């Protein structure tokens, strides 16, 4: 019986080698989850400057900016097939006519996409016939080498804009340090970043007293918000520093 079993297994193994299938590893299923992209082209259209459209795929939803307003809608994939929509709620800001037209074309491309192909650098959304509806490029995720300006701070009650007569900044280096101004004092801190996780520690500041109490309150809110950051999300020239529950702690914009 043992000899027969060995011979049979050898025969099946031979068939497996002959058909060239059973011995091949299963192909991995492509996934968009956790990826962030920036629109680089719409067929037949010239993109509008300063109307950057983005798409972040995470937890069954795609969201971002259409170049004018914020949007969010569900998506599902099956292999390289994709279904996006229906379109969910969005902000209702009025923009220049050409920006509105581009936004409509981008959202239409998302909703009509039936397939996708991508690599580390580009994502093509395809219609049912395989034609390209939109091409996007991967979001750069570099913290250092770029000066960032704080535009919004969660003060514990609401997400508020930085006061018009003050500037709050963050400059990251490659050694795990961040520095800048709180709008009143200079500060330094250390940070640890891995993937979408980031934490700040060892915050020290100068001790100058500012004449405007509101500026001092803003400084306190910024430093407190910094301590609560656990994650970050890149989007075009913007970074959202997030708290553990996913709510926004601080919003940064690239300081051009």
């Amino acid at each position: 019986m043992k000899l027969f079993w060995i011979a049979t297994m050898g025969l099946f193994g031979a068939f497996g080698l002959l058909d060239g299938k059973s011995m091949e590893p299963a192909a991995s299923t492509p996934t968009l989850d956790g990826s962030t992209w920036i629109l680089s082209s719409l067929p037949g259209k010239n993109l509008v400057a300063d109307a950057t459209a983005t798409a972040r795929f995470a937890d069954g939803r795609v969201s971002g900016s259409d170049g004018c307003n914020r949007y969010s809608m569900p998506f599902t994939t099956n292999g390289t097939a994709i279904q996006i929509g229906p379109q969910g709620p969005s902000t209702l800001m009025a923009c220049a006519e050409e920006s509105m037209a581009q936004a409509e074309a981008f959202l239409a491309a998302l909703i009509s996409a039936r397939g996708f192909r991508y690599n580390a650098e580009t994502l093509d959304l395809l219609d049912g016939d395989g034609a390209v509806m939109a091409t996007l490029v991967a979001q750069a995720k570099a913290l250092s080498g770029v000066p960032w300006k704080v535009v919004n701070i969660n003060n514990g009650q609401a997400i508020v804009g930085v006061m018009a007569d003050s500037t709050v900044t963050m400059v990251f280096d490659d050694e795990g340090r961040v520095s800048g101004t709180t709008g009143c004092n200079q500060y330094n801190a250390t940070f640890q970043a891995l993937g979408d996780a980031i934490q700040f520690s060892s915050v020290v500041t100068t001790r100058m007293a500012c004449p405007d109490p509101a500026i001092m309150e803003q400084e306190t809110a910024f430093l407190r918000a910094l301590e609560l950051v656990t994650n970050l999300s890149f989007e075009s020239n913007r970074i959202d520093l997030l708290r553990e529950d996913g709510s926004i702690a601080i919003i940064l914009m690239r300081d051009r």
Side-chain angles (χ1 to χ4, degrees):
M1 291 297 292
K2 182 180 293 185
L3 290 176
F4 175 75
W5 182 80
I6 294 174
T8 303
M9 291 300 292
L11 184 61
F12 286 148
F15 279 127
L17 291 172
L18 288 173
D19 66 22
K21 295 180 180 178
S22 61
M23 299 299 290
E24 295 178 355
S28 59
T29 302
T31 178
L32 293 175
D33 197 58
S35 63
T36 306
W37 307 87
I38 300 173
L39 179 66
S40 65
S41 67
L42 288 168
K45 296 184 180 296
N46 294 320
L47 296 188
V48 179
D50 298 322
T52 304
T54 62
R56 175 174 171 78
F57 295 84
D59 301 324
R61 298 195 70 82
V62 56
S63 58
S65 169
D66 62 16
C68 178
N69 284 284
R70 308 292 302 176
Y71 72 90
S72 178
M73 60 185 88
F75 82 94
T76 57
T77 60
N78 184 6
T80 57
I82 192 169
Q83 183 75 45
I84 300 175
Q87 186 172 347
S90 67
T91 54
L92 299 173
M93 184 173 67
C95 299
E97 185 176 344
E98 58 182 4
S99 297
M100 295 286 284
Q102 177 178 287
E104 291 176 3
F106 173 61
L107 292 177
L110 290 179
I111 293 171
S112 60
R114 295 296 177 266
F116 69 95
R117 61 175 177 242
Y118 80 110
N119 54 38
E121 298 178 353
T122 61
L123 166 66
D124 289 330
L125 296 176
L126 314 173
D127 67 12
D129 296 323
V132 175
M133 303 293 294
T135 298
L136 301 95
V137 295
Q139 166 72 57
K141 296 186 176 182
L143 285 170
S144 61
V146 178
W148 299 94
K149 181 180 292 186
V150 175
V151 293
N152 294 94
I153 300 169
N154 188 331
N155 64 11
Q157 297 179 333
I159 299 169
V160 298
V162 170
M163 296 175 62
D165 56 349
S166 68
T167 300
V168 184
T169 62
M170 299 187 74
V171 179
F172 299 83
D173 68 17
D174 293 326
E175 306 300 324
R177 295 184 294 265
V178 60
S179 60
T181 174
T182 65
C184 176
N185 283 283
Q186 300 296 311
Y187 74 94
N188 290 277
T190 60
F191 73 93
Q192 291 183 317
L194 180 62
D196 291 335
I198 186 169
Q199 287 188 313
F200 298 90
S201 59
S202 304
V203 181
V204 294
T205 70
T206 55
R207 299 291 183 179
M208 183 174 69
C210 296
D212 188 345
I215 295 291
M216 296 292 289
E217 290 176 6
Q218 178 179 269
E219 175 183 85
T220 299
F222 169 68
L223 296 174
R224 184 180 295 121
L226 202 62
E227 293 176 351
L228 297 176
V229 170
T230 60
N231 293 87
L232 77 170
S233 174
F234 287 84
E235 185 181 330
S236 186
N237 293 322
R238 163 177 166 163
I239 297 177
D240 291 349
L241 298 178
L242 308 173
R243 303 196 299 191
E244 188 173 11
D245 62 1
S247 62
I248 288 174
I250 299 168
I251 297 177
L252 309 176
M253 293 294 293
R254 187 189 302 269
D255 191 6
R256 298 178 180 178

